[in-house]
Amino acid sequence: MKFLLFTLFGIVQFLSLASGKSIPKNKFSHKSLKEMKEEIAGYEDVAESLINLAVYGKAKNRSYERLSYFIDTVGPRLSGSKNLDRAIEIMYKNLQQNGLDSVHLEPVKIPHWERGEESAVMLVPRLHKMAILGLGSSIGTPPEGITAEVLVVTSFDELQRRSPEAKGKIVVFNQPFVSYAITVQYRTHGAVEAAKVGALASLIRSVASFSVYSPHTGNQEYQDDVPKIPTACITVEDAEMLTRLASYGKTIVIQLKMGAKTYPDTVSFNTVAEITGDKYPDQIVLVSGHLDSWDVGQGALDDGGGSFISWEALSLIKDLGLRPKRTLRLVLWTAEEQGGIGALQYYRLHKGNISNYSLVMESDAGTFLPTGLQFSGSERARDIMKEIMGLLKHLNVTKVFTGGEGTDINFWIQAGVPGASLSNDLFKYFTFHHTYGDTMTVMNPKQMNVAAAVWSVVAYVVADLEEMLPRT
Amino acid sequence: MKFLLFTLFGIVQFLSLASGKSIPKNKFSHKSLKEMKEEIAGYEDVAESLINLAVYGKAKNRSYERLSYFIDTVGPRLSGSKNLDRAIEIMYKNLQQNGLDSVHLEPVKIPHWERGEESAVMLVPRLHKMAILGLGSSIGTPPEGITAEVLVVTSFDELQRRSPEAKGKIVVFNQPFVSYAITVQYRTHGAVEAAKVGALASLIRSVASFSVYSPHTGNQEYQDDVPKIPTACITVEDAEMLTRLASYGKTIVIQLKMGAKTYPDTVSFNTVAEITGDKYPDQIVLVSGHLDSWDVGQGALDDGGGSFISWEALSLIKDLGLRPKRTLRLVLWTAEEQGGIGALQYYRLHKGNISNYSLVMESDAGTFLPTGLQFSGSERARDIMKEIMGLLKHLNVTKVFTGGEGTDINFWIQAGVPGASLSNDLFKYFTFHHTYGDTMTVMNPKQMNVAAAVWSVVAYVVADLEEMLPRT
Ligand SMILES: [Zn+2]
Ligand SMILES: [Zn+2]
C-alpha cells in the first residue's frame, strides 16, 4: 500500500515515518502512578457532566440526529465524487456554526475512481446472475467483457500449487473469513497474485462476517511489475457455490463486465476544527474519523458514525464551557478508503510538530455500544489510560484493550505517539462494512450517545492533564 | 387468498373445506393414554436406529449432499419456469432410483408470472438507486415507468387517516416487523389498500427479521373490484430512510419501472412417492415440502430443505427395511409460493379419502436445528405426540409446541386432520426467506441430519401405530 501511495504523490523523499524531531523530555508525564491516579480522580465531576449531557441530557441522540440528516441528504461520499465535495462543504459549515475554533480545510490530492456498470454472469453449468462489487482502483474489462473458464481456490497456497491451471482463466478466491486483518489480504492482493500466474481476472469472496448475498467492496493494490487485471468481490454464497460446483467436476464459465475507470486525481480536503488549548495550545490531542466512504450504501457506519461522535466529543466539551490545557483537534479525513490519502497528507504537513502530539484517536470500527478502549502505547501510558477509563464506570465501559490502530492514525502510532480507538461488536461491523447495507438502519442513537460520551471523556482528560502521555 | 384461488380455477363449486365423508370411528385411537405409552415405548429401538442412521451412520449428511447437488445444478424454481419442470423431472427420477413405491406425478394448472427487468430510483431529494423485488402476480408499469411523489406511512391505519394525500402518489409502507404472520399482511394487501385510496403504485418494506439491504419478494393479492397497481418490496433500510426524509419535510419523488407480466397458466405436477403400508395401505401419513421457489436465491431454505428432509425421512425408513402399517406418502408440492396451488389440487383430488389421513406433515419453515415439533390436533392427539417425541430424547428434541400449520397442509388441518411441522430458529429463517440469500450457505448438514431424524421418527411411528391419531 505504501509503495502505491508514494509513487502516487512522488513524495518518497519527504517521508520518513520513523523520524521526528528530538522530543523535549519535560512535556511528558514524569509523575508517579499514584500522583497520576490522584490527578485523574479530580476529573470525576467533569466526566459525570460529559456523560450526563451525552446520554441523558440536552445532547442526548444529537450525534445520531446530526448524522442521519447528513447521511440521508448527502448519501455516499466516494473519493473524487461531487458528494464528497458537498459533504466537506456541509461539515465545514456545521463546524463553524458550532462555534469551534480554527475551522479550516487542508488540501489533499486524492484518487478519482468510478466503478461504472458492472455485472458477472455464470454461463456454464447454468445461467446465474451474480452480485458483484468491483474493487477500488481496479481496471475495467473490454466492453464485451471477459468470458473465461474459472479456477476456484481457497488460498494463495492452493493458487501456487495449481498455478499451471490458472493461465487464461478467471481465478475465484473462496478464502474463509478468519478476521478482517487476515482475510482482507485476498481482497488487497488477489488480483496481483492471480495475474502473476496468468489469470485474466480475479473474483474474490467478500470479506464478511455474515452475508445475505451481500457483496462487499474495498480497495485493492496493483504492483507496477505485474499486469493489471480486473478484480471484484463476489458474495460468500456464490464463492461457496462455485467451490461446490468445481468439486462435482463441473466446468464453470463466467462472463465478467466492469466499466471501472480511473480519472485524474482531484483536490479534496481534510476538514479540521479545534478547541484551542489555553495553557499548551501547540500540544495536540487528535480526535478523528473519515468523511469519505465507498459509493455503495451511505457510509453511515464507515465512517459517518466515527466522524460524528468525534465532532460530538468537541461539541459536548464546548457545551459545558470547558477548554482543556492542550488543543483538542478534530480531523475529518478525506480519501481514507483509498489507503489513508488524507491522513498521509496531514502527517506530511504536521509531523514536524510530532513531539507535541499527546494522543491520536480515530473511530473507524463502529460506534455501537463500546466495550472499552483499544489503546496502543507504553505500559506506563496504558496504566494512565486505565485510570481515565475508570471515570466511565457508570457507563460500565472501563476496559482498556490492546489495539488502537487505524489507517488514518497509524503514521503517528508507528512514530511513537499513543493511539486509541473504540472497541465494539466487530462481527456486526464486518457484516455491513463496505456494503449497500451500510446505512442509518445499523446505527443506534443510544449506542452513539455512549460512544460519544466515552470519546469525549478520554479526549478531554488526556488534553487537560498537566503532562502529556508518556511514550516508550 | 382463497378467493383468488377459487376464481383462478373456477372450482368454487367443488370445494368444501369443512366437509368430508363420515368417519368410521374404529380407525381412530381408543386406547387409554397408558396403553398408548406402552405401545409407543415399543418403538425405542426403531427410533434409535433411525437416529443413528441419520446422524452418525451411513446416511449422515445425505440430505444436505442430495440437496446441494440439486440446488447448485438446477437453481431457483419459479412457478411456470423451465427450472421447475426440470426440478420435477429430476426428483421423479431420484425417487424412482431410491426404489420408493408408487412414484408418480399428479398434474396441476399453475400460474406463470415473470418479474422481468425492474428498478426504482429516488430522484428527489437526491439520486438514489433502490433495491427492489416486484411481488408475485403484480402487474408491470408502463415502459417509461411511474414517476410520482411519495406518501410514506407506517400502517394501514395511517394510510386511512391520510387517504386524501395518497391520490396520484406512490404509497410506501414502512411497517415494523412484528411477526411474519402479522407483518406479511402489508405485502399481501398493500397494493389493494393503496389502490383503494387512489395510489399509482405501492412499495412495501420487506418482511424481514434482519437486513443487509436485502429486498424480499413474495406473493400479493389483487381484488377484482379494486384497480390493479404495480407493487414491489423495498429494503428495510430504504423504507426507514424514506420515513426519515419525510419527517424532515422533504418532498420525495421515485421513478418505478417493472417489467412484470403474467402469462397463461401452465401445467405442472405434485411429485408423489410412497412406502405403501402393509396392513392399512389406504391410510395415510403425509410427509411434505414444496419443490417450487421464488426466482431469486436458490430456494435452498424455502423449501429445498423441507423437501429433502421429507424425502430423507422415507429413505431412512427404507434403508432400515421398515414398512409401517399405513402408507407413508411423500408429496413435493408445486406452486406453493403462489398460494398453495398444488396443495389445493391435491386436496380436491384426495379429500374423499380424508377419513384415512392420520397426520399431515409439512416442513416449510426451516431445517435448522429443531427445537421440537409444532403440532395442531386435539389434546388427546397431543398427548400421544408428546410420547412419540419422547423417543427423541437422545437428540434433546422432545418438545411439542402449538402450531403445525403450513400453506400446503392447511386444507386438511381445517378439515380436522392433525398437522405437524418442525420448530426452529425463525429469526434466521425470515432473514433469508424470499431473498437472494436463500442459498446452500444457510443450510447446515448436521442440522439437516437432526431434522431428518426427527421427521422420520415422527412419520414412521404415527404410520405404524395400531390406531390412527384421534381427531377432536
Ligand atoms: Zn472506514
Ligand atoms: Zn415455502
Side-chain angles (χ1 to χ4, degrees):
Chain A
M1 185 193 303
K2 269 153 218 144
F3 185 73
L4 178 74
L5 300 182
F6 291 6
T7 54
L8 202 62
F9 289 93
I11 52 156
V12 180
Q13 65 277 21
F14 291 107
L15 196 70
S16 171
L17 294 180
S19 81
K21 288 186 187 168
S22 69
I23 298 162
K25 264 208 154 183
N26 63 345
K27 290 183 197 171
F28 295 103
S29 173
H30 293 88
K31 292 187 178 179
S32 70
L33 190 59
K34 186 162 170 289
E35 288 169 320
M36 289 304 301
K37 282 186 184 186
E38 280 164 16
E39 188 183 0
I40 291 165
Y43 288 98
E44 268 187 22
D45 289 351
V46 171
E48 280 300 301
S49 300
L50 286 167
I51 292 168
N52 283 332
L53 179 61
V55 180
Y56 312 105
K58 278 204 306 188
K60 182 179 160 186
N61 300 353
R62 183 172 61 189
S63 60
Y64 175 91
E65 283 160 13
R66 283 171 167 174
L67 177 62
S68 61
Y69 188 84
F70 173 81
I71 292 284
D72 290 337
T73 54
V74 175
R77 306 167 298 282
L78 184 65
S79 180
S81 69
K82 289 210 167 24
N83 274 13
L84 177 57
D85 290 348
R86 204 172 146 230
I88 291 168
E89 209 179 298
I90 290 170
M91 284 309 298
Y92 178 80
K93 280 186 199 151
N94 283 343
L95 298 174
Q96 278 198 314
Q97 280 168 10
N98 195 196
L100 295 173
D101 305 329
S102 187
V103 177
H104 67 281
L105 301 177
E106 300 186 356
V108 190
K109 261 183 112 176
I110 63 169
H112 179 191
W113 170 90
E114 292 183 9
R115 75 174 60 254
E117 294 292 311
E118 52 189 20
S119 66
V121 183
M122 183 173 79
L123 301 173
V124 177
R126 65 180 173 86
L127 200 67
H128 169 59
K129 284 189 201 175
M130 300 165 71
I132 63 166
L133 280 176
L135 296 182
S137 82
S138 176
I139 61 167
T141 64
E144 70 276 16
I146 291 172
T147 303
E149 212 178 292
V150 164
L151 171 67
V152 191
V153 297
T154 55
S155 67
F156 288 134
D157 283 350
E158 187 182 354
L159 181 64
Q160 287 316 308
R161 280 200 307 279
R162 300 179 64 185
S163 58
E165 297 173 61
K167 199 174 159 65
K169 293 207 180 124
I170 294 172
V171 168
V172 169
F173 291 97
N174 177 27
Q175 78 289 342
F177 182 75
V178 180
S179 72
Y180 185 72
I182 290 171
T183 311
V184 76
Q185 300 306 317
Y186 285 87
R187 191 192 77 208
T188 312
H189 305 297
V192 160
E193 294 305 316
K196 280 182 187 168
V197 292
L200 301 180
S202 64
L203 294 173
I204 295 141
R205 171 177 163 146
S206 289
V207 183
S209 50
F210 183 82
S211 178
V212 186
Y213 201 68
S214 327
H216 293 231
T217 189
N219 213 24
Q220 71 91 34
E221 296 171 11
Y222 289 128
Q223 282 180 18
D224 277 353
D225 52 345
V226 178
K228 294 181 178 184
I229 59 172
T231 184
C233 272
I234 59 176
T235 63
V236 169
E237 287 90 337
D238 278 338
E240 293 191 345
M241 184 182 71
L242 293 169
T243 290
R244 286 194 306 274
L245 285 171
S247 79
Y248 307 149
K250 302 276 182 194
T251 297
I252 304 165
V253 177
I254 287 176
Q255 180 184 63
L256 175 69
K257 289 186 183 178
M258 288 173 62
K261 211 175 154 187
T262 298
Y263 297 87
D265 288 353
T266 58
V267 174
S268 183
F269 303 91
N270 292 321
T271 307
V272 184
E274 295 181 352
I275 296 178
T276 310
D278 68 357
K279 188 165 178 188
Y280 309 117
D282 291 343
Q283 293 179 14
I284 305 289
V285 167
L286 188 147
V287 188
S288 70
H290 65 86
L291 214 51
D292 68 300
S293 74
W294 284 102
D295 54 336
V296 297
Q298 269 96 51
L301 166 129
D302 183 16
D303 184 29
S307 295
F308 275 63
I309 67 153
S310 292
W311 173 22
E312 185 68 18
L314 270 68
S315 281
L316 292 167
I317 290 161
K318 193 179 157 56
D319 284 352
L320 292 181
L322 298 169
R323 185 174 288 280
K325 296 189 184 72
R326 39 190 84 70
T327 293
L328 269 172
R329 181 176 294 166
L330 171 69
V331 183
L332 303 176
W333 313 105
T334 192
E336 185 275 348
E337 297 293 3
Q338 284 62 35
I341 310 297
L344 177 60
Q345 166 64 12
Y346 180 88
Y347 184 74
R348 285 178 59 209
L349 196 63
H350 297 278
K351 72 188 163 77
N353 192 33
I354 193 166
S355 67
N356 277 321
Y357 277 68
S358 181
L359 175 67
V360 289
M361 299 166 67
E362 178 175 29
S363 170
D364 187 22
T367 53
F368 310 133
L369 198 64
T371 55
L373 197 75
Q374 293 197 300
F375 183 72
S376 83
S378 64
E379 276 315 300
R380 220 175 107 64
R382 181 171 302 273
D383 286 340
I384 294 168
M385 203 49 86
K386 282 178 185 164
E387 287 306 309
I388 295 171
M389 290 301 287
L391 298 169
L392 294 154
K393 58 186 178 297
H394 292 158
L395 289 177
N396 200 21
V397 187
T398 57
K399 291 202 176 112
V400 178
F401 302 100
T402 54
E405 294 82 6
T407 302
D408 295 317
I409 55 173
N410 280 350
F411 303 111
W412 301 88
I413 291 173
Q414 284 166 31
V417 180
S421 66
L422 288 171
S423 172
N424 68 176
D425 182 352
L426 287 183
F427 184 92
K428 182 169 178 185
Y429 187 75
F430 289 114
T431 295
F432 295 100
H433 177 253
H434 296 188
T435 73
Y436 287 104
D438 180 357
T439 69
M440 285 310 294
T441 293
V442 300
M443 309 303 283
N444 179 301
K446 286 183 186 164
Q447 293 176 351
M448 285 186 74
N449 293 340
V450 177
V454 174
W455 215 225
S456 70
V457 169
V458 171
Y460 178 76
V461 175
V462 174
D464 199 56
L465 289 173
E466 189 50 48
E467 298 174 327
M468 284 175 61
L469 287 183
R471 302 190 184 178
T472 37
Chain B
M1 185 195 303
K2 268 153 216 144
F3 184 74
L4 176 75
L5 300 183
F6 293 6
T7 54
L8 203 61
F9 290 93
I11 53 157
V12 180
Q13 64 276 25
F14 291 107
L15 195 70
S16 170
L17 294 181
S19 80
K21 288 186 188 169
S22 68
I23 296 166
K25 264 210 154 181
N26 63 343
K27 288 184 201 172
F28 294 103
S29 174
H30 293 88
K31 292 186 180 180
S32 69
L33 190 57
K34 186 161 171 289
E35 287 170 319
M36 289 304 300
K37 282 186 184 188
E38 281 164 15
E39 188 185 359
I40 291 165
Y43 288 96
E44 270 188 21
D45 289 351
V46 171
E48 281 299 302
S49 299
L50 286 167
I51 292 168
N52 282 331
L53 178 60
V55 180
Y56 311 105
K58 278 203 309 187
K60 182 179 159 185
N61 299 354
R62 183 171 62 189
S63 60
Y64 175 91
E65 283 161 13
R66 282 171 167 174
L67 177 62
S68 61
Y69 188 83
F70 172 82
I71 294 283
D72 290 336
T73 54
V74 174
R77 303 167 300 282
L78 184 66
S79 181
S81 69
K82 288 210 165 30
N83 273 14
L84 178 56
D85 291 348
R86 205 173 146 229
I88 291 168
E89 209 179 297
I90 290 169
M91 285 309 297
Y92 179 79
K93 280 186 199 154
N94 283 343
L95 299 173
Q96 278 199 316
Q97 281 168 9
N98 195 198
L100 295 172
D101 305 328
S102 188
V103 177
H104 67 280
L105 300 177
E106 300 186 356
V108 191
K109 261 182 113 175
I110 63 170
H112 179 190
W113 170 90
E114 291 183 11
R115 74 174 61 253
E117 293 293 311
E118 53 189 21
S119 67
V121 183
M122 183 172 81
L123 300 173
V124 176
R126 66 179 170 88
L127 199 67
H128 169 58
K129 285 189 199 175
M130 301 166 69
I132 64 165
L133 281 175
L135 297 181
S137 83
S138 175
I139 62 168
T141 64
E144 70 277 15
I146 291 171
T147 302
E149 212 179 293
V150 164
L151 171 66
V152 191
V153 297
T154 55
S155 67
F156 287 133
D157 283 350
E158 187 182 352
L159 181 65
Q160 287 316 307
R161 282 200 307 278
R162 301 180 62 185
S163 58
E165 298 174 60
K167 199 173 159 65
K169 292 209 181 124
I170 294 173
V171 168
V172 169
F173 291 97
N174 177 26
Q175 78 289 342
F177 182 76
V178 180
S179 72
Y180 185 73
I182 291 170
T183 311
V184 76
Q185 300 305 317
Y186 286 86
R187 192 192 76 207
T188 312
H189 305 297
V192 160
E193 294 306 315
K196 280 180 185 169
V197 293
L200 302 180
S202 64
L203 294 174
I204 295 140
R205 172 178 161 143
S206 289
V207 184
S209 49
F210 183 81
S211 178
V212 186
Y213 201 69
S214 327
H216 292 231
T217 189
N219 214 25
Q220 71 91 34
E221 297 173 10
Y222 288 128
Q223 281 180 20
D224 277 353
D225 53 344
V226 178
K228 294 181 179 183
I229 60 172
T231 183
C233 272
I234 59 175
T235 62
V236 169
E237 286 89 336
D238 278 337
E240 293 190 346
M241 184 181 72
L242 293 169
T243 291
R244 286 193 307 273
L245 285 170
S247 79
Y248 307 148
K250 301 277 180 192
T251 297
I252 303 164
V253 177
I254 287 176
Q255 178 184 63
L256 175 68
K257 291 186 182 178
M258 289 173 62
K261 212 176 153 187
T262 298
Y263 297 88
D265 287 354
T266 58
V267 175
S268 183
F269 303 92
N270 292 321
T271 306
V272 185
E274 295 180 354
I275 295 177
T276 310
D278 67 357
K279 188 166 177 184
Y280 309 118
D282 291 344
Q283 293 180 15
I284 305 289
V285 168
L286 189 145
V287 188
S288 70
H290 65 86
L291 215 51
D292 68 298
S293 75
W294 284 102
D295 54 335
V296 297
Q298 269 95 53
L301 168 129
D302 184 16
D303 183 31
S307 295
F308 275 65
I309 66 152
S310 293
W311 172 22
E312 186 68 17
L314 270 69
S315 282
L316 293 167
I317 290 160
K318 192 178 159 56
D319 284 352
L320 292 180
L322 299 168
R323 185 175 289 280
K325 296 190 184 70
R326 42 191 81 71
T327 294
L328 269 173
R329 181 176 293 167
L330 171 70
V331 184
L332 303 177
W333 313 105
T334 192
E336 186 274 347
E337 297 293 2
Q338 283 62 37
I341 309 297
L344 177 61
Q345 166 64 11
Y346 179 89
Y347 183 75
R348 286 178 59 208
L349 195 65
H350 296 279
K351 72 189 163 75
N353 192 32
I354 193 167
S355 67
N356 277 321
Y357 277 67
S358 182
L359 176 66
V360 289
M361 299 165 67
E362 179 175 29
S363 169
D364 187 22
T367 53
F368 309 133
L369 199 65
T371 55
L373 197 76
Q374 293 197 299
F375 183 72
S376 83
S378 64
E379 277 313 301
R380 217 173 109 64
R382 183 172 300 274
D383 286 340
I384 293 168
M385 203 49 85
K386 282 178 185 166
E387 288 304 311
I388 294 171
M389 291 301 286
L391 298 170
L392 294 154
K393 59 185 178 296
H394 291 158
L395 290 177
N396 201 20
V397 187
T398 57
K399 291 200 176 114
V400 177
F401 302 99
T402 53
E405 294 83 5
T407 303
D408 295 316
I409 55 173
N410 281 349
F411 303 112
W412 301 88
I413 291 173
Q414 284 166 30
V417 180
S421 66
L422 288 172
S423 172
N424 69 177
D425 182 353
L426 287 183
F427 184 91
K428 182 170 177 182
Y429 188 74
F430 289 114
T431 296
F432 296 99
H433 178 251
H434 296 188
T435 73
Y436 287 104
D438 181 357
T439 69
M440 285 308 295
T441 293
V442 299
M443 310 302 283
N444 179 301
K446 285 182 187 166
Q447 293 176 350
M448 286 186 74
N449 292 339
V450 176
V454 174
W455 215 224
S456 70
V457 168
V458 170
Y460 179 77
V461 174
V462 174
D464 199 56
L465 290 172
E466 189 51 46
E467 298 175 329
M468 283 174 63
L469 288 182
R471 300 190 184 177
T472 37

